[in-house]
PDB file of all heavy atoms in Angstrom:
ATOM      1  N   SER V 110      20.239 -27.015 -31.491  1.00 51.00           N
ATOM      2  CA  SER V 110      19.291 -26.609 -32.525  1.00 51.00           C
ATOM      3  C   SER V 110      18.044 -25.983 -31.928  1.00 51.00           C
ATOM      4  O   SER V 110      17.571 -26.396 -30.869  1.00 51.00           O
ATOM      5  CB  SER V 110      18.891 -27.825 -33.370  1.00 51.00           C
ATOM      6  OG  SER V 110      18.269 -28.791 -32.554  1.00 51.00           O
ATOM      7  N   ASP V 111      17.509 -24.971 -32.623  1.00 55.00           N
ATOM      8  CA  ASP V 111      16.232 -24.377 -32.245  1.00 55.00           C
ATOM      9  C   ASP V 111      15.132 -25.208 -32.904  1.00 55.00           C
ATOM     10  O   ASP V 111      14.785 -25.005 -34.062  1.00 55.00           O
ATOM     11  CB  ASP V 111      16.155 -22.918 -32.718  1.00 55.00           C
ATOM     12  CG  ASP V 111      17.071 -22.020 -31.902  1.00 55.00           C
ATOM     13  OD1 ASP V 111      17.342 -22.364 -30.741  1.00 55.00           O
ATOM     14  OD2 ASP V 111      17.506 -20.993 -32.441  1.00 55.00           O
ATOM     15  N   TRP V 112      14.589 -26.144 -32.155  1.00 54.00           N
ATOM     16  CA  TRP V 112      13.692 -27.130 -32.743  1.00 54.00           C
ATOM     17  C   TRP V 112      12.225 -26.737 -32.667  1.00 54.00           C
ATOM     18  O   TRP V 112      11.364 -27.432 -33.178  1.00 54.00           O
ATOM     19  CB  TRP V 112      13.874 -28.475 -32.059  1.00 54.00           C
ATOM     20  CG  TRP V 112      13.558 -28.453 -30.584  1.00 54.00           C
ATOM     21  CD1 TRP V 112      14.396 -28.101 -29.571  1.00 54.00           C
ATOM     22  CD2 TRP V 112      12.318 -28.752 -29.977  1.00 54.00           C
ATOM     23  NE1 TRP V 112      13.751 -28.166 -28.362  1.00 54.00           N
ATOM     24  CE2 TRP V 112      12.463 -28.579 -28.578  1.00 54.00           C
ATOM     25  CE3 TRP V 112      11.061 -29.176 -30.456  1.00 54.00           C
ATOM     26  CZ2 TRP V 112      11.436 -28.790 -27.675  1.00 54.00           C
ATOM     27  CZ3 TRP V 112      10.037 -29.389 -29.555  1.00 54.00           C
ATOM     28  CH2 TRP V 112      10.235 -29.201 -28.176  1.00 54.00           C
ATOM     29  N   ILE V 113      11.912 -25.600 -32.047  1.00 51.00           N
ATOM     30  CA  ILE V 113      10.509 -25.197 -31.958  1.00 51.00           C
ATOM     31  C   ILE V 113      10.378 -23.700 -32.220  1.00 51.00           C
ATOM     32  O   ILE V 113      11.221 -22.914 -31.801  1.00 51.00           O
ATOM     33  CB  ILE V 113       9.909 -25.550 -30.572  1.00 51.00           C
ATOM     34  CG1 ILE V 113       8.419 -25.179 -30.519  1.00 51.00           C
ATOM     35  CG2 ILE V 113      10.672 -24.852 -29.455  1.00 51.00           C
ATOM     36  CD1 ILE V 113       7.732 -25.662 -29.256  1.00 51.00           C
ATOM     37  N   GLU V 114       9.356 -23.333 -32.965  1.00 57.00           N
ATOM     38  CA  GLU V 114       9.006 -21.928 -33.169  1.00 57.00           C
ATOM     39  C   GLU V 114       7.490 -21.839 -33.202  1.00 57.00           C
ATOM     40  O   GLU V 114       6.829 -22.637 -33.874  1.00 57.00           O
ATOM     41  CB  GLU V 114       9.585 -21.389 -34.480  1.00 57.00           C
ATOM     42  CG  GLU V 114       9.240 -19.926 -34.717  1.00 57.00           C
ATOM     43  CD  GLU V 114       9.919 -19.355 -35.954  1.00 57.00           C
ATOM     44  OE1 GLU V 114      10.874 -19.971 -36.440  1.00 57.00           O
ATOM     45  OE2 GLU V 114       9.471 -18.302 -36.413  1.00 57.00           O
ATOM     46  N   VAL V 115       6.930 -20.920 -32.456  1.00 57.00           N
ATOM     47  CA  VAL V 115       5.482 -20.794 -32.349  1.00 57.00           C
ATOM     48  C   VAL V 115       5.040 -19.482 -32.999  1.00 57.00           C
ATOM     49  O   VAL V 115       5.531 -18.417 -32.648  1.00 57.00           O
ATOM     50  CB  VAL V 115       5.031 -20.824 -30.873  1.00 57.00           C
ATOM     51  CG1 VAL V 115       3.513 -20.698 -30.791  1.00 57.00           C
ATOM     52  CG2 VAL V 115       5.502 -22.108 -30.200  1.00 57.00           C
ATOM     53  N   ASP V 116       4.143 -19.575 -33.959  1.00 65.00           N
ATOM     54  CA  ASP V 116       3.585 -18.396 -34.626  1.00 65.00           C
ATOM     55  C   ASP V 116       2.079 -18.598 -34.706  1.00 65.00           C
ATOM     56  O   ASP V 116       1.588 -19.449 -35.434  1.00 65.00           O
ATOM     57  CB  ASP V 116       4.177 -18.250 -36.031  1.00 65.00           C
ATOM     58  CG  ASP V 116       3.731 -16.967 -36.722  1.00 65.00           C
ATOM     59  OD1 ASP V 116       2.815 -16.298 -36.199  1.00 65.00           O
ATOM     60  OD2 ASP V 116       4.294 -16.636 -37.779  1.00 65.00           O
ATOM     61  N   PHE V 117       1.335 -17.807 -33.924  1.00 61.00           N
ATOM     62  CA  PHE V 117      -0.107 -17.990 -33.838  1.00 61.00           C
ATOM     63  C   PHE V 117      -0.873 -17.142 -34.846  1.00 61.00           C
ATOM     64  O   PHE V 117      -2.105 -17.156 -34.845  1.00 61.00           O
ATOM     65  CB  PHE V 117      -0.596 -17.656 -32.426  1.00 61.00           C
ATOM     66  CG  PHE V 117      -0.148 -18.640 -31.393  1.00 61.00           C
ATOM     67  CD1 PHE V 117       0.787 -18.292 -30.439  1.00 61.00           C
ATOM     68  CD2 PHE V 117      -0.669 -19.916 -31.377  1.00 61.00           C
ATOM     69  CE1 PHE V 117       1.188 -19.195 -29.484  1.00 61.00           C
ATOM     70  CE2 PHE V 117      -0.271 -20.840 -30.426  1.00 61.00           C
ATOM     71  CZ  PHE V 117       0.659 -20.476 -29.467  1.00 61.00           C
ATOM     72  N   SER V 118      -0.185 -16.397 -35.695  1.00 64.00           N
ATOM     73  CA  SER V 118      -0.893 -15.573 -36.674  1.00 64.00           C
ATOM     74  C   SER V 118      -1.435 -16.451 -37.803  1.00 64.00           C
ATOM     75  O   SER V 118      -0.932 -17.542 -38.064  1.00 64.00           O
ATOM     76  CB  SER V 118       0.045 -14.506 -37.248  1.00 64.00           C
ATOM     77  OG  SER V 118       1.125 -15.102 -37.945  1.00 64.00           O
ATOM     78  N   ARG V 119      -2.482 -15.956 -38.473  1.00 65.00           N
ATOM     79  CA  ARG V 119      -3.081 -16.699 -39.575  1.00 65.00           C
ATOM     80  C   ARG V 119      -2.269 -16.480 -40.848  1.00 65.00           C
ATOM     81  O   ARG V 119      -1.599 -15.471 -41.010  1.00 65.00           O
ATOM     82  CB  ARG V 119      -4.528 -16.239 -39.782  1.00 65.00           C
ATOM     83  CG  ARG V 119      -5.463 -16.551 -38.620  1.00 65.00           C
ATOM     84  CD  ARG V 119      -6.774 -15.815 -38.780  1.00 65.00           C
ATOM     85  NE  ARG V 119      -6.580 -14.358 -38.724  1.00 65.00           N
ATOM     86  CZ  ARG V 119      -7.530 -13.480 -38.976  1.00 65.00           C
ATOM     87  NH1 ARG V 119      -8.733 -13.893 -39.315  1.00 65.00           N
ATOM     88  NH2 ARG V 119      -7.281 -12.190 -38.889  1.00 65.00           N
ATOM     89  N   TRP V 120      -2.351 -17.458 -41.767  1.00 67.00           N
ATOM     90  CA  TRP V 120      -1.658 -17.327 -43.043  1.00 67.00           C
ATOM     91  C   TRP V 120      -2.166 -16.083 -43.769  1.00 67.00           C
ATOM     92  O   TRP V 120      -3.360 -15.901 -43.962  1.00 67.00           O
ATOM     93  CB  TRP V 120      -1.910 -18.558 -43.913  1.00 67.00           C
ATOM     94  CG  TRP V 120      -1.289 -19.814 -43.373  1.00 67.00           C
ATOM     95  CD1 TRP V 120      -1.910 -20.811 -42.688  1.00 67.00           C
ATOM     96  CD2 TRP V 120       0.086 -20.188 -43.469  1.00 67.00           C
ATOM     97  NE1 TRP V 120      -1.016 -21.782 -42.346  1.00 67.00           N
ATOM     98  CE2 TRP V 120       0.219 -21.434 -42.811  1.00 67.00           C
ATOM     99  CE3 TRP V 120       1.218 -19.597 -44.039  1.00 67.00           C
ATOM    100  CZ2 TRP V 120       1.441 -22.103 -42.723  1.00 67.00           C
ATOM    101  CZ3 TRP V 120       2.436 -20.257 -43.950  1.00 67.00           C
ATOM    102  CH2 TRP V 120       2.532 -21.489 -43.300  1.00 67.00           C
ATOM    103  N   GLY V 121      -1.229 -15.221 -44.183  1.00 69.00           N
ATOM    104  CA  GLY V 121      -1.583 -14.030 -44.943  1.00 69.00           C
ATOM    105  C   GLY V 121      -2.007 -12.839 -44.105  1.00 69.00           C
ATOM    106  O   GLY V 121      -2.251 -11.765 -44.648  1.00 69.00           O
TER     107      GLY V 121
END
Side-chain angles (χ1 to χ4, degrees):
S110 61
D111 289 333
W112 61 275
I113 183 173
E114 180 175 344
V115 180
D116 185 349
F117 291 110
S118 63
R119 295 168 296 173
W120 293 101

